[in-house]
Amino acid sequence: METRVEIADFEDWRDIATEAVELLRGGEVVGIPTETVYGLAADAMNAEAVAKVFEVKGRPSFDPLIVHLGGWRDLKRVVEIPDDIEEAVRALTQEFWPGPLTLVLPKKSAVPDAVTAGLPTVAVRVSAHEVMREVAKQIGAVAAPSANRFGKMSPTSASAVVAELGGKIPLVIDGGACREGLESTIIKIEPGEKKPLITVLRPGPVTREELKKFGTVKKAKPISDNRVEAPGQVESHYAPSAQVQIWKKGDVFQPLDGKRYAFLSYRGESELEEAHSWIAKDALSPGGGKLAEAGVRLFHCLRSLDASGPDVIVIEAVSETGVGVAIMDRVRRAAAAK
Ligand code: TXA
Ligand code: MG
């Protein structure tokens, strides 16, 4: 199959969104930009189309998909909101939607089991990207995991989607580089004694600090413990082809003979810059060092360093505050992959 890439710009993004809608109505899957990472979209209510998503990604069927909605009014069509958390759900969605926050809520029976891997809950969000939002409005509910092969890094550009899934899908909509660059924050909400209890199942662009206003925030569990609650969060996610090694200031770096190393520093000013003859080098946030910029660039930098064919990519650790928590979550998963 030939994969067409259509550029969605200011003038014609609506026409291109309509083209995607037609393919989705025909049961096809399409690569669509969101503000976090590119998604591989299917009509969430069409179990056969959803099966195609799993097939194209090589994704195991126990790993549930995120459903994208056109707006919070669509919520009640796919989920049953328990009375005791309704207020919290309203407050959170009003604050963060459209945007990179995904809520796990009890599903309505209309949502096919294939979407939720048989779980009684479904993960939902409203994307802030106009193309995904428009497509979701027209289709009603769009299931879209990240548009990468299973276990690989999420694509943050249309060319990365083509590199991952080219030849397997009919269309990729090119909406440019993703403005967040990291997958959405996923939370679960439970009633608490005074305030609702918010559990972060996957850290992301919406930070713990931002969530605190809405309840008591429980930390994301260590990656090896959270298989049951976030079944897709297996350690081997987010992996480039090269092995990943984490380095922080003060650590001794001991390269092995005959191995080719690439280096991804935080600011481009690390003591390790000149300490080794790297086959390739980049910085997450050259100059000032901003965590938000590091988040946007993480997968992009890893992909481009990986393309130079190193055996190992050494990544400088960033501080685990704000979006740094999500960055280090992805870096650790990449490092755990081999
Ligand atoms: O930013 C994002 O969330 C991107 C864009 C495309 O929206 N999507 C994304 O989807 O990252 P995906 O499939 O790569 O990751 C979704 C993860 C699953 O791996 C699983 O861990 C979690 O969401 N998930 C989905 N449904 C769940 C549920 N019912 N309960 C717990 N976790 C769930
Ligand atoms: Mg993914």
Side-chain angles (χ1 to χ4, degrees):
M1 176 189 296
E2 195 206 334
T3 301
R4 269 183 313 125
V5 178
E6 294 275 4
I7 296 172
D9 58 26
F10 289 114
E11 279 120 50
D12 65 1
W13 67 268
R14 275 177 203 282
D15 298 339
I16 306 227
T18 302
E19 219 175 297
V21 166
E22 277 159 20
L23 283 166
L24 295 179
R25 287 204 174 117
E28 266 308 332
V29 296
V30 176
I32 297 184
T34 86
E35 78 281 34
T36 57
V37 301
Y38 275 71
L40 179 62
D43 177 351
M45 298 304 182
N46 178 344
E48 268 174 50
V50 170
K52 242 184 224 175
V53 169
F54 283 90
E55 186 191 311
V56 165
K57 278 184 62 97
R59 182 170 177 133
S61 58
F62 58 77
D63 195 356
L65 310 181
I66 291 179
V67 171
H68 297 69
L69 304 172
W72 62 268
R73 281 192 186 84
D74 296 338
L75 242 189
K76 291 197 170 164
R77 297 215 327 268
V78 288
V79 302
E80 212 70 73
I81 307 174
D83 290 343
D84 52 7
I85 60 165
E86 189 165 0
E87 215 184 297
V89 169
R90 193 174 307 130
L92 282 158
T93 53
Q94 269 173 11
E95 175 81 11
F96 296 107
W97 282 3
L101 183 71
T102 298
L103 310 185
V104 171
L105 292 165
K107 82 172 186 88
K108 283 218 163 124
S109 57
V111 180
D113 283 337
V115 171
T116 65
L119 292 173
T121 53
V122 61
V124 285
R125 83 178 187 99
V126 175
S127 170
H129 197 291
E130 64 271 22
V131 174
M132 177 57 102
R133 199 156 172 220
E134 179 61 25
V135 170
K137 269 186 195 157
Q138 291 195 37
I139 294 288
V142 171
S146 51
N148 50 279
R149 286 165 294 150
F150 180 68
K152 298 294 172 192
M153 289 177 293
S154 296
T156 54
S157 65
S159 64
V161 178
V162 172
E164 288 287 329
L165 304 175
K168 293 183 178 168
I169 59 178
L171 175 66
V172 177
I173 298 181
D174 186 346
C178 297
R179 109 170 157 244
E180 299 287 353
L182 293 171
E183 305 86 350
S184 62
T185 304
I186 305 180
I187 61 168
K188 183 179 84 173
I189 308 154
E190 290 159 299
E193 291 205 347
K194 282 199 195 120
K195 290 196 262 173
L197 216 56
I198 301 173
T199 307
V200 178
L201 300 175
R202 177 175 72 184
V206 173
T207 63
R208 211 177 129 67
E209 291 78 8
E210 289 174 290
L211 291 170
K212 270 187 188 157
K213 218 170 98 189
F214 300 90
T216 308
V217 183
K218 290 208 287 178
K219 256 197 189 137
K221 292 183 193 156
I223 50 179
S224 52
D225 291 353
N226 70 358
R227 281 165 203 252
V228 180
E229 283 189 304
Q233 299 297 80
V234 286
E235 287 170 13
S236 67
H237 262 91
Y238 314 107
S241 307
Q243 226 179 303
V244 165
Q245 199 173 307
I246 303 169
W247 176 86
K248 59 180 189 313
K249 205 174 156 64
D251 283 357
V252 183
F253 172 61
Q254 281 181 313
L256 297 174
D257 277 352
K259 292 239 180 199
R260 294 148 54 86
Y261 288 85
F263 185 41
L264 182 54
S265 72
Y266 179 29
R267 300 186 166 89
E269 293 169 354
S270 149
E271 63 194 58
L272 224 54
E273 298 284 329
E274 308 302 329
H276 182 76
S277 55
W278 309 103
I279 66 157
K281 252 189 341 183
D282 207 343
L284 285 171
S285 178
K290 297 226 176 14
L291 284 173
E293 184 181 25
V296 171
R297 282 172 47 80
L298 176 68
F299 290 141
H300 165 77
C301 290
L302 281 175
R303 253 175 215 284
S304 80
L305 287 177
D306 209 27
S308 58
D311 298 302
V312 183
I313 301 174
V314 177
I315 307 179
E316 181 176 16
V318 303
S319 77
E320 280 180 80
T321 54
V323 75
V325 175
I327 295 172
M328 288 309 293
D329 170 78
R330 307 307 189 267
V331 169
R332 284 206 188 90
R333 286 176 206 280
K338 302 246 166 59

